[in-house]
């Protein structure tokens, strides 16, 4: 397993946002995280890339493992080098508005890996080509459509060659007609054997690409399994209701996309 | 107005143009530029300190801003120029003015910088961190460049204000633009004429600064957030 999370908890003051999460993610697989708003999906991703420090538990990526407990915090160096194994794409893309698309993608290479400018720009250009934005490299974020911005965000997240890519609702802020191009790029990533953890409510996409679906509720994982299990024959009423409310056709999508029910 | 009067006025004006220009070039401009530059550098540190989580940095910075903003620059200047010699610290008039303007400029600008840093959305920090960038690199490469662009219009206003406030130099014997006018006014008994002339100088120079400010803002406005 590339990523394993053991009894991970996160508290803000008295509020327990994540409760004893256990999760494993295999190398090259795609994990889709679904669940109602406020169930802790974003917090889970933030604990994997350590933008938030878990209160308790352990996370391992590859052969690096960090243990968390109340009162002891990993050092800054350990946090940075652990985090560098992850890449993150945010809902609001958070591109750097004062940098061109190319500069956005090259920043990590220059600032963290200390590459020289020419090499960093060459690699950034190649990544932009890959997400279909080779022609837009000198545009500023405000000169790009929402879908293009999100694709730059993906190229930026991949620039550091992370072991695992995290997506937090990458298409929820987009106009419907722009969602497809972003999902297309993500599908391409899954085909290339990159390990993804994706919070999304795009059910058709989820059922097509997921190796594992995780349903979260109130800070805990209520159920997880193959898309056929979770979408096709959900064991919990809560999940059935959630899927129905989200899109009444979700289960048909799962059926239509070749998932064996 | 009699022919004589008009001739005398024209003569005084033509005799004053050069001294006023000299005062501008030798004192008003250097004092303004130096105080502004030092003030900005100092302001950045004060802003960082007042944003710090550590109270031994934050409290002194807040106190500094509070005291300086709530006392007149003239009082600060007189404390330095007339007060400090009592403690054996004798500073030249020029240095006294530059120090007092730097000190007050830093207090005002630090508030501008602090507000601009705070106005950068948290997502920008997150995006930088998610690339594995350290806190200081994130600040220097991601946050500060955006904050600076937000500050530019206010800095322009600050500089124009500072340029005019530098006329306090005349009160500690410096023949700057205003000081030169003051000296000639005293020797010719033509205060109205000389102070009008000084006012016209300030008006012209600040108008140029305003134009420059507009151009700078346009150039830095390449991107929007
Ligand atoms: N920084 C924070 N401080 C306090 N509570 C937070 C913070 N971040 C998230 N929460 C709370 O944690 C819960 C889970 O939030 P989140 O992970 O964003 O859920 P989701 O992404 O599933 O919608 C919510 O109740 C939210 O209010
Ligand atoms: Mg969320």
């Amino acid at each position: 397993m590339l990523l394993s999370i053991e009894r991970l908890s996160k508290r803000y003051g008295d509020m327990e946002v994540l409760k004893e999460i256990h999760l494993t993610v295999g190398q090259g697989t795609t994990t889709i995280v679904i669940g109602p708003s406020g169930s802790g999906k974003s917090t889970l991703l933030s604990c994997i890339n350590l933008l938030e420090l878990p209160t308790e538990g352990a996370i391992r990526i590859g052969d690096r493992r960090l243990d968390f407990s109340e009162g002891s915090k990993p050092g800054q160096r350990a946090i940075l080098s652990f985090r560098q194994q992850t890449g993150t794409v945010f809902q609001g893309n958070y591109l750097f508005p004062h940098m061109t698309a190319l500069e956005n993608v090259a920043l990590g290479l220059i600032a963290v890996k200390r590459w020289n400018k020419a090499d960093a720009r060459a690699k950034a250009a190649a990544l932009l080509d890959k997400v279909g934005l080779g022609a837009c490299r000198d545009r500023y974020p405000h000169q790009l459509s929402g879908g293009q911005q999100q694709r730059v965000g993906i190229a930026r997240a991949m620039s550091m060659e992370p072991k695992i890519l995290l997506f937090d609702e990458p298409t929820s802020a987009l106009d419907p007609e722009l969602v497809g191009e972003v999902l297309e790029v993500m599908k391409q990533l899954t085909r290339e054997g990159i390990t993804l953890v994706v919070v999304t409510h795009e059910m058709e996409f989820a059922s097509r690409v997921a190796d594992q679906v995780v349903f979260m509720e109130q800070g805990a994982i209520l159920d997880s399994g193959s898309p056929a299990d979770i979408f096709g024959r959900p064991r919990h009423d809560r999940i059935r209701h959630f899927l129905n409310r989200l899109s009444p056709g979700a289960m048909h999508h799962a059926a239509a996309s070749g998932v064996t029910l | 107005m009699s022919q004589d009067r008009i001739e005398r006025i024209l003569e005084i004006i033509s005799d004053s143009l050069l001294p006023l220009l000299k005062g501008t070039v030798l004192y008003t401009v250097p004092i303004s530029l130096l105080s502004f530059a030092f003030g900005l550098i100092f302001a950045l540190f004060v802003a960082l300190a007042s944003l710090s989580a550590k109270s031994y940095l934050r409290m002194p910075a807040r106190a500094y801003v509070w005291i300086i903003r709530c006392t007149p620059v003239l009082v600060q200047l007189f404390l330095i120029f007339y007060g400090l010699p009592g403690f054996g610290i004798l500073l030249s008039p020029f240095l006294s003015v530059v120090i007092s303007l730097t000190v007050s400029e830093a207090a005002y600008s630090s508030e501008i910088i602090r507000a601009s840093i705070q106005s950068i959305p948290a997502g920008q920090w997150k995006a930088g961190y998610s690339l594995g960038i350290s806190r200081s690199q994130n600040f220097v490469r991601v946050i500060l460049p955006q904050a600076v662009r937000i500050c530019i219009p206010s800095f322009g206003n600050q500089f124009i204000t500072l340029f005019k406030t530098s006329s306090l130099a005349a009160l500690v014997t410096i023949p700057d633009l205003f000081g030169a006018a003051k000296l000639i006014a005293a020797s010719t008994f033509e205060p109205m004429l000389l102070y009008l002339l000084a006012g016209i100088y300030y008006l012209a120079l600040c108008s140029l600064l305003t134009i420059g400010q507009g151009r700078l803002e346009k150039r830095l406005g390449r991107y929007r957030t």
Side-chain angles (χ1 to χ4, degrees):
Chain A
M1 287 291 148
L2 176 69
L3 164 72
S4 54
I5 296 173
E6 294 163 30
R7 32 164 255 296
L8 181 99
S9 298
K10 174 67 182 173
R11 274 189 294 277
Y12 292 109
D14 288 339
M15 191 165 62
E16 196 162 36
V17 175
L18 294 178
K19 297 164 195 160
E20 305 242 335
I21 300 276
H22 285 263
L23 179 68
T24 56
V25 171
Q27 168 73 46
T29 64
T30 299
T31 300
I32 300 286
V33 181
I34 57 173
S37 171
S39 57
K41 306 179 298 293
S42 298
T43 308
L44 177 62
L45 293 192
S46 301
C47 283
I48 297 174
N49 62 25
L50 305 182
L51 285 181
E52 297 287 345
L53 291 184
T55 316
E56 253 160 303
I59 309 180
R60 183 185 57 75
I61 297 180
D63 45 20
R64 256 181 229 271
R65 180 191 159 101
L66 286 181
D67 285 88
F68 304 89
S69 62
E70 210 122 28
S72 90
K73 219 173 100 172
Q76 200 55 37
R77 268 164 188 264
I79 290 177
L80 284 182
S81 61
F82 190 91
R83 186 182 287 147
Q84 278 163 30
Q85 305 185 100
T86 70
T88 306
V89 178
F90 302 93
Q91 177 178 354
N93 56 68
Y94 302 157
L95 291 184
F96 307 128
H98 59 300
M99 296 183 193
T100 62
L102 191 78
E103 289 164 347
N104 264 277
V105 181
L107 178 67
L109 298 170
I110 294 168
V112 180
K113 296 202 168 167
R114 308 270 169 204
W115 285 25
N116 68 50
K117 269 214 167 113
D119 289 351
R121 293 176 71 88
K123 167 145 188 188
L127 283 166
L128 285 174
D129 281 339
K130 206 171 144 128
V131 298
L133 291 175
C136 299
R137 60 183 65 158
D138 293 323
R139 294 210 201 153
Y140 286 90
H142 77 267
Q143 298 168 318
L144 298 168
S145 74
Q148 291 172 328
Q149 289 176 10
Q150 202 51 294
R151 282 147 70 195
V152 174
I154 295 173
R156 182 176 69 179
M158 297 205 318
S159 67
M160 304 296 286
E161 296 186 350
K163 293 204 171 91
I164 185 166
L165 271 182
L166 311 171
F167 290 79
D168 193 357
E169 306 203 30
T171 57
S172 330
L174 297 179
D175 293 336
E177 74 269 23
L178 301 175
V179 169
E181 60 186 81
V182 175
L183 295 181
E184 200 42 58
V185 169
M186 292 169 66
K187 270 185 202 156
Q188 184 192 322
L189 297 179
T190 64
R191 284 196 291 268
E192 288 173 16
I194 296 172
T195 311
L196 307 186
V197 176
V198 184
V199 176
T200 185
H201 292 138
E202 294 291 335
M203 287 304 155
E204 191 194 342
F205 168 79
S207 57
R208 275 179 200 277
V209 302
D211 298 293
Q212 171 178 227
V213 177
V214 172
F215 184 90
M216 286 188 71
E217 188 177 62
Q218 298 185 352
I221 293 179
L222 183 60
D223 200 5
S224 68
S226 70
D229 287 339
I230 304 295
F231 295 146
R233 27 171 199 279
R235 288 184 293 175
H236 297 264
D237 278 349
R238 284 291 306 128
I239 301 182
R240 241 192 313 275
H241 283 145
F242 176 80
L243 291 174
N244 264 322
R245 199 159 18 94
L246 199 64
S247 85
M251 290 180 215
H252 303 298
H253 280 315
S257 62
V259 175
T260 44
L261 297 178
Chain B
M1 228 185 285
S2 72
Q3 184 72 31
D4 273 5
R5 180 77 186 123
I6 290 173
E7 268 172 22
R8 176 167 157 78
I9 287 175
L10 288 177
E11 195 190 331
I12 291 176
I13 290 178
S14 71
D15 285 352
S16 310
L17 286 177
L18 207 57
L20 292 200
L21 187 64
K22 217 170 128 193
T24 307
V25 172
L26 289 184
Y27 298 103
T28 300
V29 170
I31 286 172
S32 306
L33 286 178
L34 285 175
S35 323
F36 191 65
F38 290 137
L40 281 189
I41 295 168
F42 196 20
L44 180 61
F45 289 103
V46 176
L48 289 178
S50 56
L51 286 169
S52 171
K54 303 183 177 89
S55 63
Y56 62 86
L57 290 174
R58 195 177 62 246
M59 298 310 259
R62 305 304 305 149
Y64 169 76
V65 171
W66 164 58
I67 291 170
I68 299 302
R69 287 213 302 180
C70 295
T71 53
V73 187
L74 189 56
V75 172
Q76 297 158 20
L77 174 60
F78 276 22
L79 279 173
I80 290 172
F81 188 68
Y82 294 112
L84 286 186
F87 296 87
I89 303 171
L90 211 74
L91 299 172
S92 74
F94 188 85
L95 201 54
S96 302
V97 172
V98 170
I99 289 175
S100 69
L101 290 180
T102 296
V103 162
S104 81
E105 182 55 32
Y108 288 100
S109 291
S110 77
E111 285 296 278
I112 295 169
I113 296 174
R114 185 174 68 89
S116 73
I117 290 172
Q118 281 177 317
S119 76
I120 306 295
Q124 292 291 312
W125 284 99
K126 274 198 203 174
Y129 283 138
S130 78
L131 289 171
I133 293 179
S134 68
R135 194 175 133 81
S136 56
Q137 285 256 22
N138 207 356
F139 180 72
V140 171
R141 291 181 182 268
V142 175
I143 305 302
L144 196 58
Q146 296 181 57
V148 164
R149 284 167 170 83
I150 296 172
C151 290
I152 292 292
S154 312
F155 282 166
N157 294 337
Q158 283 297 113
F159 186 72
I160 290 170
T161 304
L162 178 67
F163 189 81
K164 292 177 293 174
T165 309
S166 72
S167 59
L168 293 181
L171 301 183
V172 290
T173 74
I174 293 178
D176 70 327
L177 166 49
F178 181 64
K182 187 163 156 272
L183 288 175
I184 302 172
S187 62
T188 58
F189 303 104
E190 293 284 358
M192 184 58 147
L193 187 57
L194 265 300
Y195 293 139
L196 262 180
L197 205 54
I200 291 169
Y201 262 80
Y202 281 112
L203 182 65
L205 290 167
C206 288
S207 303
L208 284 178
L209 287 174
T210 308
I211 293 168
Q213 182 189 13
R215 296 221 171 139
L216 189 63
E217 277 173 39
K218 219 171 183 176
R219 240 187 62 193
L220 290 169
R222 258 190 332 225
Y223 86 90
R224 282 167 291 149
T225 21

